[in-house]
């Protein structure tokens, strides 16, 4: 942990991620457990959050660079206005690689202890929380990628 992710807090021991669900762009419920088998970076954010504005393009680049069979970024918007405001925000920022995930009722924030935004949680293939960071980061920076790749290398 260095540079932009120097304040990333490791979980010791790793505990299972909360059993939560959120919505995809079509309004269907998506349980977090549906990503089991992949390393995931869950990012809690909102369009009115200025630090989120700064961070989102780096999350998009991270998904473009590392996303696929072993890893994905799961950005969960807590905007109450839902899909329309998030899609407009993504267009404005030229975000093209990230999926749109929504939690307008904020059902996921309490189980994850989210009090400020952004909050980003790294979860391993088994569904356990590796650690978390409160505040923005450049998630496509070499030190952030190294952290994620180290978890991806675990078997």
């Amino acid at each position: 942990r260095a540079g932009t992710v120097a304040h990333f807090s490791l979980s010791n021991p790793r505990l299972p991620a909360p059993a939560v669900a959120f919505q995809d762009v079509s309004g269907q419920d998506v349980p977090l457990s549906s990503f089991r088998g992949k390393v995931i970076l869950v990012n809690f954010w909102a369009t009115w959050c200025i630090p989120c504005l700064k961070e989102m393009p780096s999350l998009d680049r991270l998904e473009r660079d590392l996303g696929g069979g072993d890893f994905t970024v799961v950005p969960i918007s807590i905007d109450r206005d839902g899909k329309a405001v998030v899609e407009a925000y993504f267009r404005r920022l030229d975000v093209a690689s990230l999926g749109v995930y929504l939690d307008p009722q904020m059902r996921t924030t309490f189980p994850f202890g989210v009090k400020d935004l952004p909050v980003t949680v790294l979860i391993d293939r088994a569904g356990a929380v590796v650690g978390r960071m409160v505040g923005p980061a450049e998630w496509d920076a070499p030190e952030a990628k190294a952290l994620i790749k180290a978890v991806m290398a675990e078997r």
Side-chain angles (χ1 to χ4, degrees):
R1 297 169 295 154
T4 187
V5 291
H7 297 291
F8 185 88
S9 299
L10 291 171
S11 298
N12 189 12
R14 290 184 188 177
L15 299 174
V20 298
F22 39 90
Q23 297 172 341
D24 64 16
V25 71
S26 66
Q28 297 298 310
D29 278 348
V30 178
L32 185 63
S33 62
S34 68
F35 293 95
R36 187 148 300 150
K38 285 187 176 194
V39 173
I40 61 173
L41 191 70
V42 178
N43 178 261
F44 296 94
W45 71 284
T47 58
W48 45 262
C49 164
I50 300 301
C52 300
L53 173 72
K54 178 182 177 196
E55 179 179 60
M56 197 56 62
S58 73
L59 288 165
D60 189 55
R61 291 187 299 268
L62 177 66
E63 177 65 22
R64 184 193 64 217
D65 295 348
L66 295 183
D70 288 337
F71 172 76
T72 195
V73 176
V74 180
I76 301 174
S77 166
I78 63 167
D79 284 279
R80 292 182 184 191
D81 293 330
K83 175 174 97 167
V85 70
V86 171
E87 288 178 331
Y89 185 89
F90 275 14
R91 279 192 302 276
R92 190 179 91 195
L93 293 177
D94 199 26
V95 169
S97 299
L98 294 174
V100 173
Y101 298 105
L102 309 164
D103 183 16
Q105 293 85 25
M106 294 188 278
R107 296 178 296 175
T108 58
T109 55
F110 180 75
F112 272 97
V114 174
K115 295 179 180 144
D116 295 310
L117 294 177
V119 170
T120 308
V121 181
L122 184 60
I123 300 173
D124 67 19
R125 293 178 201 287
V129 174
V130 174
R132 64 188 282 133
M133 185 162 158
V134 177
E138 289 296 321
W139 288 103
D140 63 329
E143 60 274 10
K145 284 183 174 179
L147 173 67
I148 293 163
K149 287 178 179 178
V151 176
M152 290 171 66
E154 296 173 356
R155 294 289 169 192

